[in-house]
Amino acid sequence: MRNETRGTAELTLAMVLSGTLGIFVVESGASPFDVVFFRCLFGAAALGAYSLLRGYFTGHGLTPKKLGLAALGGVFIVFNWVFLFEAYEATSISFATVVYHTQPFFLVVFGAVLFRERITAAKFGWLGVAFVGLVLVSGIRPGDTASLKGLGLALAAAVLYALSTIVTKRITGVRPHLIALVQVLAGIPLLLPFADFGAAAGLGAGWGWLAGLGLIHTGLMYVLMYAAYQKLPTAKIAVLAFTYPAVAMFADWAVYGHHIGLVQALGVPLIALASLKITLAARTPAAAPAPRTAAHAPAAASPAATRSA
């Protein structure tokens, strides 16, 4: 199989897995804090075992500064997950996932504010398109507090994702698997005070879903993504990344019968197109992006999603 063909298959599978993440979260029956805590725990075991088998701990390249940056990125990552999973509860997987994909726009804004990167007229235009799409997707009516809460939580998750990306892009010379491992390891003591072990003990079959989140959506998924990034051009990565929200919306409809309304649906392609345009523009030499690391190929494909989700 040609490298690019194999990379396409790997990334497509990773994005399909990512699209099922919400189902695992809901079916676990655990609170968002418990879900993220155990995702970090099982995910650390999966990524640690993989890194050990591959010999990544030899010549790891981690310094105290890089370790600190990775841990800081982990703080943003784990609370990004908490907010996103809270948004699932407040509204629906479909709604939260679409709003969550405003991440690239926050990267542009933070780049301008923190690093004085120039926002071109084209980017301003696409930000405007995305804002119109967000207004349509939100579909919030007076008194619709659940949708308003879900919107706020999903936007907060997107902001934290963008901050994690900015921090992690400053780490060079370290394998992405190790950066992801540090990030989930940081989440274990961070979320320990919030974990309810009494409630978790009664989850029963929910433990299988929690283990899946760590082993499949944090271990296997990231391995597939990082393998694919080495084989694919940025444009294809950016396009394939939209498999994630498409699968998430389909899964939410197929399993729970949730779907967005007609007016909301009009906003989805606006957000998707604007996100794609800004993501691709950020990867051109003219955009003068921050120093790159193997941990992040496109901006929208960090361990948060993830891609983060």
Side-chain angles (χ1 to χ4, degrees), residues 13 46 56 62 117 147 168 195 199 305:
L13 177 56
Y56 291 163
L62 283 167
E117 295 175 357
S147 292
T168 309

Side-chain angles (χ1 to χ4, degrees), residues 50-69:
Y50 179 81
S51 298
L52 182 63
L53 290 172
R54 299 286 292 181
Y56 291 163
F57 291 113
T58 302
H60 50 73
L62 283 167
T63 64
K65 179 181 179 180
K66 293 176 182 178
L67 195 59
L69 285 172

Side-chain angles (χ1 to χ4, degrees), residues 20-304:
T20 65
L21 183 144
I23 305 298
F24 278 67
V25 172
V26 173
E27 291 300 313
S28 73
S31 71
F33 277 105
D34 284 351
V35 169
V36 178
F37 175 79
F38 288 109
R39 182 183 186 182
C40 288
L41 193 65
F42 288 119
L47 288 170
Y50 179 81
S51 298
L52 182 63
L53 290 172
R54 299 286 292 181
Y56 291 163
F57 291 113
T58 302
H60 50 73
L62 283 167
T63 64
K65 179 181 179 180
K66 293 176 182 178
L67 195 59
L69 285 172
L72 177 60
V75 173
F76 293 134
I77 284 290
V78 296
F79 282 108
N80 148 75
W81 287 339
V82 170
F83 281 123
L84 180 60
F85 299 165
E86 289 274 13
Y88 290 164
E89 286 190 352
T91 52
S92 68
I93 295 169
S94 299
F95 180 89
T97 301
V98 172
V99 175
Y100 184 60
H101 272 74
T102 56
Q103 304 151 354
F105 317 126
F106 290 110
L107 282 172
V108 170
V109 172
F110 287 145
V113 173
L114 300 177
F115 308 111
R116 299 187 179 182
E117 295 175 357
R118 186 171 63 92
I119 301 181
T120 64
K123 284 185 180 180
F124 265 120
W126 288 118
L127 286 171
V129 170
F131 179 76
V132 172
L134 183 60
V135 171
L136 290 173
V137 166
S138 67
I140 295 174
R141 300 176 296 276
D144 189 0
T145 55
S147 292
L148 185 60
K149 179 181 178 182
L151 176 67
L153 288 166
L155 286 174
V159 168
L160 290 172
Y161 172 89
L163 289 172
S164 174
T165 300
I166 288 172
V167 170
T168 309
K169 284 172 70 175
R170 266 77 192 156
I171 305 173
T172 59
V174 180
R175 288 188 178 275
H177 311 78
L178 295 181
I179 295 175
L181 176 59
V182 171
Q183 290 175 334
V184 292
L185 282 173
I188 295 174
L190 188 64
L191 295 179
L192 184 59
F194 304 101
D196 186 344
F197 293 102
L203 288 177
W207 280 104
W209 297 99
L210 290 177
L213 282 168
L215 301 177
I216 298 173
H217 294 92
T218 312
L220 175 61
M221 189 177 76
Y222 289 160
V223 169
L224 288 170
M225 284 195 302
Y226 297 143
Y229 292 161
Q230 299 171 4
K231 306 179 183 79
L232 297 175
T234 300
K236 179 166 282 191
I237 292 172
V239 171
L240 289 175
F242 286 97
T243 305
Y244 162 34
V247 172
M249 293 173 70
F250 175 79
D252 196 22
W253 168 77
V255 178
Y256 302 114
H258 295 159
H259 60 84
I260 59 178
L262 178 60
V263 174
Q264 291 176 298
L266 295 176
V268 175
L270 295 181
I271 292 177
L273 180 61
S275 176
L276 181 61
K277 290 289 187 180
I278 287 180
T279 299
L280 291 177
R283 304 269 66 85
T284 62
R292 298 236 348 237
T293 169
H296 285 67
S302 81

